Amino acid sequence: NAGVTQTPKFQVLKTGQSMTLQCAQDMNHEYMSWYRQDPGMGLRLIHYSVGAGITDQGEVPNGYNVSRSTTEDFPLRLLSAAPSQTSVYFCASSYSNRDREVEQYFGPGTRLTVT
Amino acid sequence: AQKVTQAQTEISVVEKEDVTLDCVYETRDTTYYLFWYKQPPSGELVFLIRRNSFDEQNEISGRYSWNFQKSTSSFNFTITASQVVDSAVYFCALSEAILTGGGNKLTFGTGTQLKVEL
């Protein structure tokens, strides 16, 4: 299994540009999520999905769109990038094991800079 | 709303010293889960431990140990005989109910940067 993969690893955008951060998992997990990490603020939840076709907002959803057309993929779209979106983005997928505990898998992260 | 506080922004120790990283949480739920993650300089997130609110047993894994105290809403992490390879940012996190699809929404603390020097 490749686990959770994210592309690209690094990206520089200009203000106003759009782009999509890709996230894919090959573990057949229903639940996927996006977090952003900013200095001194830990990780914060942007959007999450409990299954294909279902998405919901997290703590900091403004400026981001998501969709979940397949179980495997959960792309994060920035429609008009702003410098405040400079951050490291982590995608995660998870499942609940037999003991009803969540096993969470994080991707390697995408470092985005908006100038 | 849930909240995780890691009051120690940065800790520096000399190798072989013991070090404790503090984590204090707030939640209104009776069922919740606590986590510790390590983020080495390479940037990935490494899962260390998960603990549910019904299990207050302390846990030891090699040089790592965790002390969960519901009475003080704390879940502290101790590294015994620290090593240079322990240098990283450590995050404490909290989640409440498990959602449909087998996931949960994590609330992270702001992290503690641990520097272990020779």
Side-chain angles (χ1 to χ4, degrees):
Chain A
N1 287 349
V4 180
T5 58
Q6 292 184 238
T7 56
K9 290 188 177 177
F10 302 95
Q11 182 71 49
V12 178
L13 288 179
K14 293 186 177 177
T15 296
Q17 286 185 318
S18 62
M19 82 158 295
T20 299
L21 306 186
Q22 301 291 346
C23 175
Q25 52 94 6
D26 60 358
M27 298 171 281
N28 203 34
H29 291 167
E30 292 293 329
Y31 186 91
M32 297 184 73
S33 54
W34 278 101
Y35 290 84
R36 60 177 288 174
Q37 181 181 8
D38 301 298
M41 300 194 71
L43 282 79
R44 293 178 293 167
L45 181 65
I46 306 172
H47 284 284
Y48 65 97
S49 168
V50 298
I54 307 170
T55 64
D56 206 345
Q57 296 181 349
E59 181 185 352
V60 288
N62 292 344
Y64 307 96
N65 281 349
V66 292
S67 59
R68 185 93 180 272
S69 56
T70 68
T71 298
E72 294 78 20
D73 300 298
F74 191 41
L76 180 72
R77 296 185 184 84
L78 285 70
L79 296 180
S80 178
S84 60
Q85 293 177 305
T86 294
S87 189
V88 180
Y89 291 85
F90 287 97
C91 178
S93 74
S94 61
Y95 77 103
S96 178
N97 63 24
R98 289 183 190 180
D99 296 323
R100 289 281 295 158
E101 293 180 328
V102 173
E103 303 269 1
Q104 186 120 242
Y105 297 79
F106 280 92
T110 293
R111 186 175 293 274
L112 175 68
T113 301
V114 183
T115 61
Chain B
Q2 50 189 356
K3 184 179 178 182
V4 175
T5 301
Q6 294 181 256
Q8 303 152 309
T9 304
E10 187 173 317
I11 300 175
S12 289
V13 298
V14 176
E15 204 176 36
K16 298 184 183 175
E17 282 186 8
D18 299 346
V19 58
T20 295
L21 309 182
D22 297 333
C23 173
V24 175
Y25 63 91
E26 295 176 29
T27 178
R28 293 182 181 179
D29 279 16
T30 54
T31 301
Y32 53 90
Y33 304 84
L34 295 163
F35 304 79
W36 275 95
Y37 287 88
K38 175 182 179 180
Q39 187 176 47
S42 51
E44 75 272 23
L45 287 164
V46 178
F47 167 79
L48 295 178
I49 190 172
R50 171 185 51 242
R51 175 68 71 218
N52 72 54
S53 54
F54 299 109
D55 183 2
E56 282 194 77
Q57 270 194 328
N58 292 330
E59 178 144 345
I60 298 175
S61 176
R63 295 183 297 106
Y64 295 171
S65 63
W66 291 269
N67 179 249
F68 176 26
Q69 291 199 335
K70 288 177 75 171
S71 60
T72 56
S73 297
S74 64
F75 187 43
N76 296 338
F77 173 31
T78 297
I79 301 175
T80 302
S82 59
Q83 300 176 0
V84 172
V85 293
D86 296 326
S87 296
V89 179
Y90 291 86
F91 290 100
C92 181
L94 165 72
S95 75
E96 294 169 344
I98 296 176
L99 302 173
T100 302
N104 53 7
K105 296 190 283 185
L106 291 171
T107 296
F108 284 82
T110 52
T112 296
Q113 170 81 59
L114 174 65
K115 295 184 178 179
V116 182
E117 299 165 334
L118 291 171

